[in-house]
Amino acid sequence: MSSPLSSRKTAAALRTSARVSAELLLVLVAAAVALWVLGRMWSVVWPLIVGLFLTTLTWPLARFLRRHGWWPALAASVVTVFALLVGAGIVALIAVPVADQSGELADRVVAGIDKLREWAAGPPLNIGDDQITGALDSATDRLQDSVGSVVTTAVTGVSTVVNGVVTAVLALFLMFFFLKDGPRFLPWLTRQLPGRFATDIPEVASRSWATLGAFVRSQAFVGLLDAVFIGLGLWILGVPLVLPLAVLTFVCAFVPIVGALFAGFVAVVIALVSNGLMDALLVLAIIIVVQQLEGNVFQPMIQSRGLGLHAAVVLLAVTLGGSLAGVVGSLLAVPVAAVLAVIWNYLREQLVEDPREPEPEELPEGSPAPS
């Protein structure tokens, strides 16, 4: 016969569950309010984020100039002008052709999906379920509507040209001020905060900045290598739309795991439609080889950032970011998750209990005290 439940322990467990649930509910409400405020301020927050990303890419050059005796304002001005010239060159040489070919890219991807659906409908698969067909039709329509905007958004950084110009101008100004006054920010922040906040918040900000900078720079370099090698393979095989596919590969490198799968899928589908099955298989082989080189050679050599994020966490973060904010959410998901991991690790360091020091052993009378 089983023992009866203790009413005292049951009541205590219910009270604890209710308290924890109420506290969790308050945290979720606070997070929802913070996201709502962030959405209302997005026109200011987005240029700030772009400016931070640009600063992480250009800070090594500015730091090099400052260490060699350049004034902070002069170093920041030179680096900003250099970044502006590089950006203008990219727009002139890459963005315009990519934007012109983005519609053709979308049409070819849709044609490739239709071809795959026709192949799946025949032997040996004989897939003819109405729900699957409807899902494929819906995915095809959605892809046709969004691929062009994905490429354009990846190139301009925003969903519209007007917002892109405004964001670029604000981001450049913010980058200049970050490069010029960035090293003075943490000391200033320390003087403004009271008590323990003067230590905790600057420390978390410093760790987050180091993590964000290492992530952005390493992903940019690895994405550039992927785009060069895969684009070279596509050019050798005579696959059309090499430049848009290379740009898509570079941008998708900032969305770990999911981005590589998406860019590879698009390249294989276009090769299948344009050049046939054999070239599509060769493109798939090239992508697999490059991804293996990236995962086993490039990243261990370049990426010392140590985000400490499990692959499952990355997948969930990218999925959640994409569902909340589309392409922009997918691009920001992993950096945000990495910063949250930094904050969580710092909180754990502060909340962990100090190990108790061992009690000194009793010494007999007349024994010398330990030094």
Side-chain angles (χ1 to χ4, degrees):
M1 182 177 180
S2 60
S3 302
L5 294 176
S6 171
S7 59
R8 179 180 59 82
K9 292 182 178 181
T10 302
L14 289 175
R15 285 194 298 270
T16 302
S17 300
R19 178 175 57 82
V20 172
S21 300
E23 293 173 351
L24 181 60
L25 183 61
L26 288 176
V27 171
L28 293 177
V29 170
V33 172
L35 290 176
W36 180 81
V37 173
L38 189 66
R40 301 292 294 181
M41 300 173 57
W42 189 247
S43 60
V44 176
V45 173
W46 180 232
L48 178 63
I49 294 174
V50 175
L52 284 174
F53 281 0
L54 293 176
T55 305
T56 59
L57 290 173
T58 55
W59 172 244
L61 178 58
R63 180 177 55 193
F64 174 82
L65 296 178
R66 291 165 68 112
R67 287 179 176 176
H68 285 75
W70 290 48
W71 293 341
L74 179 60
S77 300
V78 170
V79 173
T80 301
V81 172
F82 175 74
L84 182 60
L85 293 176
V86 171
I90 291 175
V91 171
L93 297 177
I94 296 179
V96 174
V98 168
D100 291 339
Q101 295 178 338
S102 61
E104 183 182 356
L105 176 64
D107 294 338
R108 287 183 179 271
V109 171
V110 171
I113 293 177
D114 289 337
K115 189 172 182 178
L116 290 175
R117 184 176 59 182
E118 293 174 0
W119 173 78
L125 297 180
N126 296 319
I127 299 177
D129 186 72
D130 294 337
Q131 293 181 351
I132 297 179
T133 303
L136 287 174
D137 290 338
S138 177
T140 300
D141 295 338
R142 184 174 180 180
L143 186 62
Q144 190 174 14
D145 294 336
S146 63
V147 167
S149 63
V150 166
V151 176
T152 304
T153 301
V155 175
T156 61
V158 285
S159 58
T160 64
V161 175
V162 175
N163 288 338
V165 173
V166 174
T167 299
V169 172
L170 290 178
L172 282 174
F173 276 104
L174 290 173
M175 183 186 74
F176 169 78
F177 289 115
F178 291 156
L179 293 174
K180 174 178 174 291
D181 301 324
R184 296 190 295 179
F185 174 71
L186 290 183
W188 173 84
L189 185 62
T190 301
R191 294 191 300 268
Q192 307 304 313
L193 296 173
R196 185 169 177 177
F197 286 130
T199 302
D200 293 338
I201 293 182
E203 177 64 22
V204 171
S206 177
R207 295 187 186 186
S208 300
W209 170 255
T211 300
L212 180 64
F215 170 79
V216 173
R217 289 191 294 269
S218 59
Q219 288 298 116
F221 193 75
V222 171
L224 180 61
L225 292 177
D226 286 350
V228 169
F229 286 124
I230 294 177
L232 183 61
L234 296 176
W235 177 74
I236 292 174
L237 293 175
V239 177
L241 305 173
V242 173
L243 188 58
L245 290 175
V247 173
L248 183 64
T249 301
F250 173 77
V251 174
C252 288
F254 290 92
V255 186
I257 301 176
V258 176
L261 293 176
F262 174 75
F265 171 77
V266 172
V268 171
V269 168
I270 290 179
L272 177 64
V273 174
S274 303
N275 295 30
L277 179 61
M278 183 57 66
D279 280 358
L281 293 176
L282 291 176
V283 169
L284 179 61
I286 292 172
I287 293 173
I288 292 175
V289 170
V290 172
Q291 293 298 326
Q292 290 300 313
L293 288 175
E294 174 196 324
N296 298 306
V297 179
F298 297 153
Q299 286 187 347
M301 292 174 58
I302 300 170
Q303 295 179 349
S304 59
R305 66 189 189 278
L307 293 180
L309 297 178
H310 192 273
V313 176
V314 173
L315 284 173
L316 292 176
V318 172
T319 303
L320 179 61
S323 63
L324 292 177
V327 177
V328 174
S330 298
L331 293 174
L332 298 180
V334 177
V336 170
V339 171
L340 292 178
V342 169
I343 297 174
W344 172 252
N345 290 331
Y346 183 80
L347 290 176
R348 281 180 56 86
E349 293 176 7
Q350 303 305 311
L351 297 177
V352 69
E353 295 182 0
D354 295 331
R356 296 182 178 179
E357 297 182 358
E359 296 291 338
E361 298 180 359
E362 295 184 3
L363 301 175
E365 294 184 3
S367 299
S371 57

